[in-house]
Amino acid sequence: MSIYVNEFVGVDEAGVAGSEQQPFKTPAFALYVSGDDSKLLVFKKGDEQESEGYFEISASGLKKAKKGAEGLKKKALKQKEQEEKKREQEAKNAAKKLEAMNISIEEDKSLPKAERCKINGSYNAIDKRVKVSGWVHRLRNNKSVVFIILRDGTGFLQAVLTGDLARSYQIVNLTLETTISLYGTIKKVPEGKNAPGGVELFVDYYEIVGLAPSGEEAFTNKVQENADPSILLDQRHLMLRGETLSAVMKVRAALMRSIRRVYDEENLTEVTPPCMVQTQVEGGSTLFKLDYYGEEAYLTQSSQLYLETCLAALGDVYCIQESFRAEKSHTRRHLSEYTHIEAELCFLDFDDLLSHIERVISKTVQYVLEDPVAGPLVKQLNPGFKAPQLPFKRMEYKDAIEWLKEHGIKNEDDEEFKFGDDIAEAAERKMTDTIGVPILLTRFPLEIKSFYMKRCADDPRVTESVDVLMPTVGEITGGSMRIEGTEELMAGFEREGIDPASYYWFIDQRKYGTCPHGGYGLGTERILAWLCDRFTVRDCSLYPRFSGRCKP
C-alpha cells in the first residue's frame, strides 16, 4: 500500500487518507498511522537536474521515519495512560465530592452554648466552648484532619477539624481568605507543640460566612511576595492582610496611643487645626493647590502656625493629623501625605525644648515596648532594636560639617562640605549610622531654615533649630525656637519673599502679648520605620501617597 508524504501541503492528523490528494506532512506520522509495511512516497521539488514529483523514500529516510514513528507510539501510549489516570482521579474526586455533599453538618444542641469571643480572648478560655469568627489565614488538609489558622485582627488561632467535619464538602473546597465561624472547645497545646497563644480550637461545628474564590482569582494569585512593588501597592487592600504589614499597623496604633499618653503627662492639650489653608510654612514649591470656592488655597504643609495661635488660650498644645508636601521625590523616607505629630510650647528656652523632645521620644518608645501587643511585634520585626538612652548626643551643625570633612564625605556637588551647605539624606545617614546613637543636631544656618526660626543670640548666622537623627532612618524630628518679635518676623517674610498680608493672624501673636516659644514636628512614618526596621516609610503608611501614586 502506497502512502504519500508532502511536507509542503501535507497534514499530520488522524483521518487524513495519505493519498496523493490528501498526503501526510511527515514520514514518521505516516508510518505511525499506516504501519511499517506501507510504501512511503515522498514529494520532492524539482530543479535543473531532477524532475518534481513523488519518489520512494530513501533507506536512511525510512530508518529515521521508523524511529520517529516509534517515538509517536510511546508518546501516544503515555498520553493514554495519563488520560486513564486522570479519569480515575476524576472518578475518585466525584465519589469524594458525592460523599462530601452527602455529609450533613448540624450543630449539636446538647453541647453547651458557645460563647462568642475574639481570638485574643480565646487564649484564656481553656476548656470552654466558644464561637470564633475570622478569615482563613493558612490551611492544611491531612486527609482525615484539617488544620486552619484563623485570623481576626486580634490574633491567630489554630483550629482542628476531624471526622465528618474534615470530609464535608465546604471544608474540602475551603479557600484562603474565606470568612468562617468556628465553634468548638479551646484546649492547651500538648507539651513540645507550638500554636499561636499556646492553644488549639477543637471544632465541633462551622458556618461559612463568605467563600473566597479559587483558581485564577485565588488570593495567592492576587498577592505574591516577590511581585513588582507597584503591583503590590495596587493590591494594598489585600497586602494589609499579611503578617508583616498588619504588625506594623498595630505598632503604629500603639505609637499613637503612647504619644498621646506622654503629651497628657507633659500637660499638652490636643487641638485640631485646619488642613485647607491659604498660607505656607515650608516653602511654596511643595504646596498642593486647590480651588476653594473661587479662591486659591492649599493643603497644609504643617499645622505649626495654627498651633502657635493656641498658646495664649490653651498653653502648650499638640496635634496629630495629615500634612502634605508636593515633593516629586522617590526617596525611601518621603511621602506626599504623612501623619504629622506637632507640638508648640510657651515660656521655655532652647535647652528646655531639646530636653522635652528627647523625653517625648524616649518615653513614647518605652510605652510602645511595654504594650502587650506592640512590644512583642517590635521585637519580631526588629530583633536588634534598643530603646534610646537619655540624654541624646548633642551636636552642632558646624561640628557636623567638620565631621563630614574629616571622614571624606562629599556634598551633593561632590565637593567638600562647607558652612552653609544643606546636609542631604545620604551624608546625614552616613554620619548618623557611623556614630550609631540618636543625635540632636542643632544651630543650623539661617539661610537653610524657615522664616520663623529664631536666631542664636551668640551667633546671628545660625538659628535655635534642631533635627533629631536616628540610626538606620535619619531625621525623624525637626523643630526650633520661634521668632518672638514682630520686626524680626517681618524681616523673615521679606527674606523669603512672602507677602505678610495673609499672615495677619500669625503676626498678631507677637503684637498681642508675645512670649518665648518653640515647637517641633515628628514624622510618624519615619519613627515607625526606625522602630520596625522598615526599609521605606511607604511600609509604615496604611495607603502610601507619593509622586505618581494615589490609589487604591
Side-chain angles (χ1 to χ4, degrees), residues 292-328:
Y292 188 76
Y293 304 108
E295 293 185 76
E296 189 175 78
Y298 318 103
L299 294 176
T300 185
Q301 299 163 313
S302 165
S303 296
Q304 175 206 320
L305 305 190
Y306 292 97
L307 289 177
E308 288 190 47
T309 69
C310 298
L311 295 175
L314 303 173
D316 299 343
V317 291
Y318 77 97
C319 72
I320 300 177
Q321 64 180 42
E322 304 309 289
S323 283
F324 305 86
R325 304 279 172 91
E327 292 177 282
K328 292 183 179 179

Side-chain angles (χ1 to χ4, degrees), residues 145-405:
V145 182
V146 173
F147 294 92
I148 295 174
I149 299 295
L150 197 68
R151 180 193 78 243
D152 73 347
T154 71
F156 299 89
L157 177 65
Q158 179 166 289
V160 183
L161 292 81
T162 59
D164 282 352
L165 290 174
R167 295 193 300 272
S168 62
Y169 179 73
Q170 288 181 308
I171 294 300
V172 168
N173 292 279
L174 199 60
T175 49
L176 292 180
E177 295 305 317
T178 287
T179 38
I180 189 170
S181 293
L182 300 175
Y183 297 70
T185 304
I186 296 290
K187 296 287 185 182
K188 284 188 175 180
V189 295
E191 192 171 340
K193 301 288 184 179
N194 292 312
V199 301
E200 289 179 308
L201 175 66
F202 285 85
V203 178
D204 57 57
Y205 180 64
Y206 69 83
E207 295 169 338
I208 300 293
V209 179
L211 185 66
S214 58
E216 290 186 5
E217 286 294 302
F219 184 82
T220 49
N221 288 334
K222 300 286 281 185
V223 175
Q224 296 179 358
E225 190 175 344
N226 297 320
D228 184 273
S230 64
I231 294 175
L232 295 180
L233 283 168
D234 287 342
Q235 302 299 325
R236 187 71 164 189
H237 58 297
L238 299 179
M239 284 293 295
L240 287 169
R241 302 181 183 203
E243 293 176 32
T244 299
L245 195 50
S246 62
V248 173
M249 292 303 111
K250 289 177 181 178
V251 175
R252 181 185 175 109
L255 175 68
M256 296 294 99
R257 287 195 302 273
S258 298
I259 202 159
R260 282 189 165 95
R261 175 181 170 186
V262 172
Y263 280 142
D264 190 51
E265 293 171 357
E266 294 279 321
N267 294 311
L268 273 71
T269 300
E270 184 172 7
V271 295
T272 52
C275 285
M276 292 183 288
V277 302
Q278 290 185 308
T279 51
Q280 67 183 56
V281 182
E282 299 296 336
S285 63
T286 66
L287 286 167
F288 279 109
K289 294 182 180 181
L290 60 108
D291 185 306
Y292 188 76
Y293 304 108
E295 293 185 76
E296 189 175 78
Y298 318 103
L299 294 176
T300 185
Q301 299 163 313
S302 165
S303 296
Q304 175 206 320
L305 305 190
Y306 292 97
L307 289 177
E308 288 190 47
T309 69
C310 298
L311 295 175
L314 303 173
D316 299 343
V317 291
Y318 77 97
C319 72
I320 300 177
Q321 64 180 42
E322 304 309 289
S323 283
F324 305 86
R325 304 279 172 91
E327 292 177 282
K328 292 183 179 179
S329 175
H330 284 272
T331 74
R332 57 178 174 162
R333 65 176 193 172
H334 281 92
L335 290 168
S336 297
E337 176 186 10
Y338 64 98
T339 303
H340 211 171
I341 302 168
E342 298 183 88
E344 289 292 320
L345 302 94
C346 53
F347 297 107
L348 79 170
D349 59 27
F350 190 41
D351 284 334
D352 295 332
L353 179 65
L354 297 181
S355 297
H356 166 82
I357 291 173
E358 64 182 1
R359 193 164 62 246
V360 167
I361 293 172
S362 62
K363 288 178 74 175
T364 298
V365 171
Q366 176 192 333
Y367 293 156
V368 170
L369 295 178
E370 290 173 354
D371 185 271
V373 173
L377 289 176
V378 171
K379 290 180 181 178
Q380 174 186 314
L381 294 164
N382 192 1
F385 181 78
K386 293 181 181 178
Q389 300 296 310
L390 295 180
F392 293 175
K393 178 181 178 64
R394 261 75 161 172
M395 187 179 196
E396 291 190 19
Y397 164 88
K398 62 180 177 62
D399 296 324
I401 293 295
E402 291 304 314
W403 189 97
L404 293 166
K405 288 163 65 175

Side-chain angles (χ1 to χ4, degrees), residues 26 30 110 166 186 196 222 238 267 306 414 440 462 482:
T26 63
S110 68
I186 296 290
K222 300 286 281 185
L238 299 179
N267 294 311
Y306 292 97
D414 200 32
L440 292 173
V462 296
R482 316 307 193 190

Side-chain angles (χ1 to χ4, degrees), residues 135-151:
W135 289 261
V136 177
H137 189 67
R138 291 201 191 94
L139 180 64
R140 182 160 49 98
N141 194 329
N142 288 351
K143 293 183 179 179
S144 60
V145 182
V146 173
F147 294 92
I148 295 174
I149 299 295
L150 197 68
R151 180 193 78 243

